[in-house]
């Protein structure tokens, strides 16, 4: 029980320190610099010929985007 309370106190101290840091700096947590594009990859799946499931999903997404574009089009 003593170990649990010690670990709980440690976690609470760390959360408190992070909260004070946020309040002082007003800076949010940010991602890495560049991400996948810094590795020279255009997309997460950098294969030349995606699998059938991915192709179907991409076609469905493309159709949904076109449909939304047509719905939002001004006549």
């Amino acid at each position: 029980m003593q170990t649990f309370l010690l670990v709980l106190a440690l976690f609470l101290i760390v959360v408190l320190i992070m909260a004070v840091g946020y309040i002082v700096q007003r800076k949010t947590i940010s991602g890495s610099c560049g991400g996948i594009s810094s590795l020279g990859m255009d997309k997460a799946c950098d294969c030349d010929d995606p699998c059938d499931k991915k192709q179907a999903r991409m076609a469905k997404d493309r159709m949904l985007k076109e449909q939304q574009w047509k719905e939002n089009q001004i006549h």
Side-chain angles (χ1 to χ4, degrees):
M1 184 67 174
Q2 190 178 15
T3 305
F4 173 75
L5 292 176
L6 183 63
V7 171
L8 180 64
L10 180 67
F11 275 106
L12 290 176
I13 289 170
V14 169
V15 169
L16 179 66
I17 290 170
M18 290 188 329
V20 169
Y22 171 75
I23 291 169
V24 170
Q25 293 184 354
R26 291 283 184 203
K27 200 172 184 183
T28 60
I29 297 174
S30 60
S32 63
C33 299
I36 288 179
S37 63
S38 67
L39 299 174
M41 297 170 64
D42 293 331
K43 55 190 180 291
C45 173
D46 202 27
C47 51
D48 295 329
D49 188 27
C51 65
D52 293 336
K53 286 183 180 180
K54 181 145 178 96
Q55 286 180 350
R57 199 168 47 238
M58 289 168 45
K60 183 179 176 184
D61 289 345
R62 194 172 24 255
M63 284 190 329
L64 287 174
K65 286 180 183 178
E66 288 176 6
Q67 189 178 32
Q68 288 175 347
W69 183 80
K70 288 179 182 179
E71 289 174 359
N72 293 331
Q73 190 175 14
I74 298 174
H75 298 280

